[in-house]
Amino acid sequence: MTNPYEKYASLSPFELKDALIDLASSKTDRMMLNAGRGNPNFLATLPRRGFWRLGLFATEEAELSYSYLPHGIGGLPRLDGIEARFDAFLSREHQQPGVAFLSRAVSYVRDQLGLSASAFLHEMVEGILGANYPVPPRMLRISEKITREYIVKEMIGGLISAEDVDLFAVEGGTAAMTYLFNTLRTNGLVKAGDKVAMGAPIFTPYIEIPKLEDYRLESVMINASPEQNWQYPDEELDKLLDPEVKIFFCVNPSNPASVKMDNRSLEKMAKIVEQRPDLIILTDDVYGTFAKDFKSLFATCPQNTILVYSFSKYFGATGWRLGVIATHQNNILDDKIANLSAEEKNRLHERYTSLTPDVAALRFLDRVVADSRSVALNHTAGLSTPQQVQMVLFSLFALMDGDNGYKAAVSEIIRRRQAVLYRELGITHKEDDNAVDYYTLLDLEAISRQVYGDDFARWVQQTLNPTDLLFRIADETGIVMLPGSGFGTQQPAGRISLANLNEYEYAAIGKALRNMMEHYFREFSLNAGNTPPAQ
């Protein structure tokens, strides 16, 4: 009999999901539940209220320039007196939601960060109006200072001075990776045939990037172990000692296992870098803000690490497309460029000569900026200024949250959803201090073993094709999950996001999957000549 799902076997999980959604939504007598979608259904409202209130003040500032004209024409805001005018705005609008947040933000910038309140306000007002190119193109000056304070606090635990970190504001984590791989290749830091180590499981598109014709890199999988709570065993990390491995590329906390690297792994990585000082580390830390006491590889190996962070998940801002690339001011990327052959240096001099007379001094991160706009359009590079303003307000919101109330609230939302899912599945969930639980991997074989024993688990493994099973689940229950194998897991599992549905919907998923498992157990019992136990 022809397998109707075989044609989908080679698809990326994010392409496969469309077929699963079509199947899950094909019946009108039930609700389709898309548990594969990573977009959170919660978001930070206070910094958004601040954004809109700031926009109103900024518009008033613009209208001061041409207040004698009646046709809604404004001009560029003036720096002189802006702080006093803002104080008057706060006094007049003090009862409006978001105004108190703006007042505290300005005080924090002035009193805690030691920056000029007037300069900050002028940059924010001009930025939110979107009436100028980003200057400088890498990131607005005060915006970079504030955002890097947030990155250092949340990603690096304050272990590195913010002054030692450079940022490039980009259109989310995906843009960051696109730009980085392009510049790494363009500057000869990776070449076709080089090996890139991938910390698995990992976000599916990241697995696909090295294979592209643009790069033609050889992937080496560094496999986390589910038996070790999804940490990387030493023997896996030791693969990084191979001098042919140029880059270690990982997501931390991982996607979809949702576990941060523990201290043992970080210490192991530090020892590897001592032996491989030329190793480039590229880490996507988007889920780090959901973890307790998170420490990025940037904190452990700062000279070797390129850190990518997106504001998308934590602040519920996927549509804003906000992210940063962070490098240490003293990094091996600049050293590698300085040590290129004379021929390569001449080639790169021709590429970047329109930007500076001293191409040799052009730093890696500034090359990323230029390459993001094909060099010739470098002056128009960078994230739009209104986006940078919202990024700054998100950063200040987190920096001013001294008791981490927002972090505790969103973490509680996720863990309550996880609890009802596992309760209705009828299984226990092992607690792990390193887990952030943004996603969960449901390993049907492991669940079958826990509920009905080893014999049934073996039958499940031998009888049910993992991809077919996802389609059966979609068809029979209306539930969409993504295949864990598409993220590099070595055991078949379904990825469920705990961020995008409500508690009662996760309860419904748990019940439906449990009912389906009971159906398969009855089939197993009848085939084995056993009588299934009464439920």
Side-chain angles (χ1 to χ4, degrees), residues 205-227:
Y206 294 169
I207 297 176
E208 298 166 357
I209 289 174
K211 303 175 185 176
L212 296 174
E213 183 182 1
D214 295 9
Y215 307 110
R216 291 173 291 160
L217 302 172
E218 180 183 341
S219 294
V220 176
M221 303 312 288
I222 309 295
N223 296 301
S225 169
E227 290 77 22

Side-chain angles (χ1 to χ4, degrees), residues 272-294:
I272 287 171
V273 166
E274 287 179 6
Q275 299 176 69
R276 285 287 319 279
D278 62 323
L279 180 66
I280 299 170
I281 299 171
L282 176 53
T283 180
D284 178 346
D285 293 350
V286 60
Y287 303 105
T289 27
F290 292 94
K292 294 179 181 177
D293 303 318
F294 178 72

